[in-house]
Amino acid sequence: MNEQPKQLRILIVDDHAVVRRGLQAVLEDEEGLEVVGEAASGRESVAKARALRPDVVLMDIRMGEGDDSSGIDACRQIRSELPDTQVIMFTSYGERESVLSSIMAGATGFLTKNVSHAQLVEAIRAAGRGESLLDPSVTRDVIDRLAQLSKTPRKPEDVLSDREKEVLLLIAQGYTNKEIAAKLVVSPYTARNR
C-alpha cells in the first residue's frame, strides 16, 4: 500500500496583501503544499501559528513600522512555543545582521524574494523535512561575518560561544539539525536550539 506524503501546512506572513496573495497563488497549485493561513504582522503571525499549527511559516523580516514590525521577534516566539514549526525568513533584504539575527532567533532558513518559484517550493519542502537552508546570495556574507566575529575583540554582551559559532557555521554550510547533532555529538534538540 502506497502511503501519501504528508501535506505541508504553510502560514504566509507579510505586511503587503498583494505579496501574501501572490505567494498563496504560487503555492496553492503545488502538490503536497497547503496554505492554511496568512498574517500581516508579527503579533498576528504568532496568534495564527498558535491556532493553526503550521509546519512551515514563510515570514517577512520587516513589516511596516512600530512594535509589531519584527519578523525576527515573531520567529523567536513561534519557535519557542512551537518547536516543530519551521520558519523561513523571506525578505527583500539580505543584510548579514538580519541573516544572523534570523538564525539566532531559530529560523530554519533565509531566502531573498528574488528566488525562483522552484527554489521557493524546494525551500519549503526542505524546511518541512527539518533541513536548514540559506539563500546562496547570502551564504558568503554569513561565513565572512562569522570569521569576523571570531577575530573581533568581544564585549561580554555580544559573545557567541564557540559551540554556537560551530552550529551557526554548520547551518550556513547547509547541514540539517540531525547532521549537526551527529558532527558535534549532541542531541538534535540541542543542535536546533543552540
Side-chain angles (χ1 to χ4, degrees):
M1 177 166 29
N2 286 343
E3 194 175 307
Q4 289 285 65
K6 180 184 176 196
Q7 187 87 350
L8 285 177
R9 298 168 40 82
I10 303 161
L11 173 64
I12 298 170
V13 183
D14 195 290
D15 59 330
H16 296 99
V18 71
V19 172
R20 292 191 310 272
R21 299 291 185 279
L23 287 169
Q24 184 167 1
V26 164
L27 298 175
E28 68 186 3
D29 292 333
E30 290 294 328
E31 186 176 329
L33 302 182
E34 176 188 10
V35 176
V36 295
E38 60 180 62
S41 69
R43 185 171 304 131
E44 185 182 5
S45 72
V46 173
K48 292 263 180 118
R50 284 181 189 135
L52 299 171
R53 304 280 195 217
D55 299 302
V56 178
V57 176
L58 200 54
M59 174 87 67
D60 192 10
I61 285 185
R62 294 191 184 126
M63 293 175 277
E65 296 179 14
D67 295 338
D68 198 24
S69 65
S70 174
I72 293 170
D73 291 340
C75 173
R76 183 177 293 107
Q77 190 167 352
I78 290 169
R79 292 290 291 148
S80 172
E81 294 181 26
L82 305 167
D84 292 333
T85 296
Q86 306 302 318
V87 178
I88 298 173
M89 303 310 282
F90 189 60
T91 184
S92 300
Y93 310 98
E95 304 101 17
R96 289 188 293 207
E97 294 307 319
S98 294
V99 178
L100 290 173
S101 296
S102 296
I103 291 168
M104 297 310 290
T108 302
F110 189 99
L111 293 174
T112 55
K113 289 182 179 175
N114 63 354
V115 297
S116 71
H117 172 137
Q119 290 170 316
L120 174 61
V121 169
E122 179 48 38
I124 291 169
R125 292 186 198 285
R129 294 187 299 266
E131 297 173 11
S132 300
L133 56 120
L134 281 178
D135 189 310
S137 68
V138 299
T139 302
R140 181 78 252 159
D141 283 342
V142 170
I143 292 170
D144 290 346
R145 178 68 174 132
L146 289 172
Q148 181 185 11
L149 281 173
S150 69
K151 295 176 186 171
T152 304
R154 305 189 230 194
K155 299 177 196 169
E157 65 273 11
D158 294 336
V159 174
L160 287 177
S161 72
D162 289 339
R163 181 61 86 169
E164 288 169 330
K165 288 178 191 175
E166 284 181 274
V167 170
L168 197 52
L169 184 58
L170 292 170
I171 290 169
Q173 293 172 348
Y175 287 94
T176 66
N177 290 337
K178 284 183 182 177
E179 292 167 334
I180 293 169
K183 274 188 159 313
L184 300 179
V185 193
V186 297
S187 76
Y189 178 81
T190 301
R192 183 181 75 216
N193 290 305
R194 277 285 173 182

